[in-house]
Amino acid sequence: MRTLCSMRTFREAPVMIRLAIFKSGILSKLDYGSVVYDSKWHGDQVEIDNGNHHNTKEMFSILQNVHERCPEITYIYDLPLKSVQERPLRVIVFSDNPTEHEPLEPEFKYIGNMHGNEVVGRELLLNLAEYLCNEYKFNNNENIKKLVDNTRIHLMPSMNPDGWEIAAANAWNTTGQQNFPDIKTMLKEEGTTDWTAGRANANGIDLNRNFPNLDEVIYEYNHLANHRNNHLNIETFIALTTGSDCHDNPYQIETVTVAFWIMQSSFVLSANLHNGDLVANYPYDDSELHVKTYSPSPDDPLFQQLAESYSYSHSKMAKSAKPCATDLFQDGITNGANWYPVCGGMQDFNYLASNCFELTLELGCRKFPPGKHLAGLWDDNKDALINFMWQTHLGIKGLINDEDNEPIYNATIKVFQLVNGHWKYIDHDVTSAKNGDYWRLLTDGSYAILVKKSGYETSIKYVDVQNGKDVEAQRVDFTLNSQMSNKRSHIQALLKRLMKKNY
Ligand SMILES: [Zn+2]
């Protein structure tokens, strides 16, 4: 398995073979984490143990326990490729029908611990998994039931499990063993204090600088009329095939696996959880000249609103202008490049390679705080984590079908907003998914929605969006008529309709 998994072999293989390997799932057959977790039960519910940090095996045991307590609404899967040290990149899904996508039900994801020594997100997602299970099944929480029934929620507590283990081992080997009886106690009482050990993956590469640099592509495209503004797939494939990121590092197995996951799923909204400051960061993370400056995406007002939906629901984030006594933020939010430019980040990759809108959430000044602080951190973040998931339901959603009620996949949804009496194009289209379903996150306002697909006549609808709290998006369906390019296809279409009629 080692040779097949090794980055070199994987990277040297032609891209289609790599995709076949990826799709086959053969790299995920290694067993990992089949351990007995000594969790305590409180009645039927999972008792949340948030005074301790959890290593990889404990993390997987918690997910397994949650699944066993709530099998009807959960499903666990691994991404096809494992980390460099062959730890699974494991996901738990919550929904009323967790194993598959349901038409019109939006997909959401949280990814924690991408930087291995930034661990609060990892523990919060374990808490969140236990909380969703308890509230849905045992505490009859109507809001959570509605959220879970109408959203498909993917939680990946750790994208960099190797980095976590490296951070913990480094702390133990340097100072921990002189001061504590065991690693668990060290992590509970002190956490780790090294700012960089375990940040990168096991090959020493920073995963949040290792995604294909699509910002570069979009900045180039922005100079062209009628440029492409979404799903930069071909560019992504080319980038991954040619082999190195914008820092000249080889693409890592964790990055490749997550990149394909993003591109193959129909995620609508996402957050990527980090530590080191306390702020909600939104696109773009880079600017055209790679300098520190405000770098708005076409969805800038929406991204600001999304970031505030987290910062204002968090008990501290929006309240302190200088939360870590270093950088200054207003309302607990920041544009990425206005803070500091990052190239090869995951957040902008989501926006430019898929339909997914992603934020980067910095969840505290300490990267690996003492485990005994985790209960307080959960209290600070709980409402914000829930509220942010509800944002998946902003704006509009609907079905795009042809005249025969067949779904149209990969139709383009273009949005124009009425601003001061003029229609302003939001230069970022989304596309319809396999079932012809689409989602378009929008702020309150008046919009013209234009749906296009080659071979069909373009359709346009006007909608007023008034987002409510904790409710599903407004439904706006489209039927596209096929284009009659000549008399023959016209007659064929008439015949097709006649044959469908019952006399
Ligand atoms: Zn980070």
Side-chain angles (χ1 to χ4, degrees):
M1 295 311 281
R2 184 74 210 159
T3 43
L4 201 51
C5 275
S6 86
M7 204 55 219
R8 177 179 292 172
T9 314
F10 189 74
R11 283 190 52 238
E12 282 171 358
V15 70
M16 294 320 289
I17 293 176
R18 285 190 281 160
L19 271 174
I21 293 170
F22 175 81
K23 282 182 173 165
S24 73
I26 52 175
L27 296 184
S28 63
K29 293 285 192 287
L30 281 183
D31 183 44
Y32 193 91
S34 51
V35 294
V36 180
Y37 176 66
D38 58 343
S39 116
K40 301 170 202 86
W41 302 109
H42 173 69
D44 284 332
Q45 299 185 36
V46 186
E47 186 177 283
I48 298 174
D49 162 34
N50 59 7
N52 282 310
H53 286 284
H54 300 93
N55 66 24
T56 309
K57 288 189 173 185
E58 291 164 341
M59 170 171 71
F60 293 159
S61 292
I62 291 173
L63 297 183
Q64 188 58 33
N65 276 340
V66 168
H67 174 60
E68 281 164 19
R69 303 312 292 171
C70 287
E72 310 86 355
I73 54 161
T74 60
Y75 166 60
I76 293 175
Y77 67 92
D78 291 346
L79 297 200
L81 306 181
K82 292 168 191 288
S83 71
V84 172
Q85 294 178 342
E86 300 193 0
R87 294 186 175 91
L89 303 178
R90 191 157 290 175
V91 179
I92 187 164
V93 181
F94 283 81
S95 194
D96 56 342
N97 193 359
T99 54
E100 59 189 46
H101 172 73
E102 285 183 278
L104 291 168
E105 196 170 288
E107 310 259 339
F108 173 91
K109 69 176 153 58
Y110 274 132
I111 295 184
N113 199 212
M114 177 186 202
H115 287 142
N117 64 337
E118 298 172 17
V119 302
V120 171
R122 170 187 175 118
E123 296 297 330
L124 288 181
L125 295 186
L126 295 176
N127 274 292
L128 182 62
E130 291 172 328
Y131 180 79
L132 292 177
C133 169
N134 285 341
E135 295 306 297
Y136 189 100
K137 189 159 174 180
F138 304 105
N139 296 336
N140 213 15
N141 181 326
E142 286 305 322
N143 185 275
I144 294 298
K145 277 185 117 153
K146 196 167 148 195
L147 175 69
V148 168
D149 284 343
N150 294 300
T151 324
R152 191 153 173 255
I153 300 161
H154 303 245
L155 309 179
M156 179 190 274
S158 181
M159 179 175 162
N160 185 5
D162 298 353
W164 190 100
E165 301 289 341
I166 292 165
N170 176 74
W172 177 249
N173 292 333
T174 49
T175 55
Q177 55 192 328
Q178 284 116 53
N179 303 321
F180 298 100
D182 52 60
I183 292 184
K184 192 114 197 146
T185 311
M186 173 192 78
L187 294 180
K188 184 178 184 126
E189 295 302 321
E190 193 174 70
T192 78
T193 51
D194 192 302
W195 197 250
T196 54
R199 172 184 174 86
N201 75 345
N203 287 336
I205 306 297
D206 186 333
L207 299 176
N208 207 25
R209 306 289 184 279
N210 191 235
F211 276 77
N213 182 14
L214 300 182
D215 295 62
E216 196 74 52
V217 177
I218 202 73
Y219 285 129
E220 227 177 277
Y221 281 16
N222 283 344
H223 295 292
L224 310 171
N226 299 321
H227 59 270
R228 200 141 150 223
N229 66 15
N230 68 96
H231 289 80
L232 307 179
N233 299 32
I234 294 162
E235 294 80 355
T236 310
F237 283 120
I238 292 168
L240 287 166
T241 319
T242 52
S244 45
D245 66 18
C246 48
H247 303 273
D248 248 352
N249 288 318
Y251 286 108
Q252 298 299 295
I253 204 154
E254 295 90 346
T255 310
V256 170
T257 268
V258 170
F260 281 112
W261 182 43
I262 290 166
M263 288 158 65
Q264 289 178 328
S265 314
S266 41
F267 293 120
V268 176
L269 181 66
S270 170
N272 168 20
L273 313 180
H274 290 252
N275 275 91
D277 219 310
L278 188 69
V279 68
N281 176 104
Y282 57 89
Y284 287 128
D285 264 342
D286 207 354
S287 62
E288 187 159 9
L289 299 174
H290 312 293
V291 293
K292 177 178 148 69
T293 185
Y294 198 100
S295 180
S297 74
D299 282 290
D300 196 55
L302 170 69
F303 271 120
Q304 288 188 40
Q305 182 179 318
L306 288 168
E308 287 184 0
S309 80
Y310 199 92
S311 69
Y312 277 98
S313 309
H314 185 284
S315 67
K316 301 188 176 86
M317 197 178 274
K319 289 189 182 127
S320 168
K322 252 189 194 184
C324 297
T326 48
D327 296 314
L328 191 73
F329 305 113
Q330 207 149 43
D331 303 312
I333 69 170
T334 185
N335 171 263
N338 202 34
W339 186 13
Y340 58 90
V342 164
C343 105
M346 182 162 71
Q347 169 192 274
D348 292 1
F349 178 85
N350 270 271
Y351 184 64
L352 295 173
S354 79
N355 283 327
C356 189
F357 289 55
E358 183 167 278
L359 299 187
T360 307
L361 301 174
E362 299 284 344
L363 299 177
C365 310
R366 286 281 306 266
K367 290 190 170 185
F368 203 137
K372 61 189 181 187
H373 294 176
L374 289 170
L377 286 160
W378 166 246
D379 290 341
D380 290 342
N381 284 280
K382 187 183 88 176
D383 292 348
L385 287 165
I386 304 290
N387 188 48
F388 186 66
M389 289 192 282
W390 269 114
Q391 307 308 305
T392 320
H393 297 273
L394 288 181
I396 57 170
K397 67 174 177 181
L399 293 173
I400 300 170
N401 290 326
D402 67 12
E403 306 131 295
D404 299 321
N405 229 14
E406 294 294 327
I408 299 179
Y409 169 54
N410 208 22
T412 299
I413 297 102
K414 291 178 175 290
V415 174
F416 298 79
Q417 184 172 16
L418 193 59
V419 182
N420 301 326
H422 297 281
W423 291 107
K424 181 177 174 265
Y425 176 44
I426 300 179
D427 193 359
H428 180 82
D429 307 336
V430 295
T431 57
S432 59
K434 293 257 158 44
N435 299 296
D437 41 359
Y438 79 94
W439 301 262
R440 190 30 164 121
L441 303 180
L442 294 169
T443 58
D444 288 356
S446 299
Y447 296 91
I449 315 294
L450 198 137
V451 178
K452 284 177 90 136
K453 171 85 184 180
S454 67
Y456 295 89
E457 287 168 12
T458 298
S459 175
I460 188 160
K461 286 192 175 179
Y462 298 90
V463 292
D464 285 321
V465 171
Q466 288 282 329
N467 290 297
K469 185 169 163 49
D470 303 352
V471 291
E472 285 189 73
Q474 185 182 338
R475 176 103 179 248
V476 184
D477 293 345
F478 289 86
T479 304
L480 302 190
N481 297 320
S482 57
Q483 251 166 8
M484 303 304 170
S485 56
N486 55 49
K487 275 185 181 171
R488 197 166 144 234
S489 66
H490 183 57
I491 290 168
Q492 278 175 344
L494 288 175
L495 275 174
K496 202 171 155 194
R497 261 184 258 172
L498 274 176
M499 284 162 75
K500 278 198 156 188
K501 273 209 160 103
N502 291 319
Y503 290 99

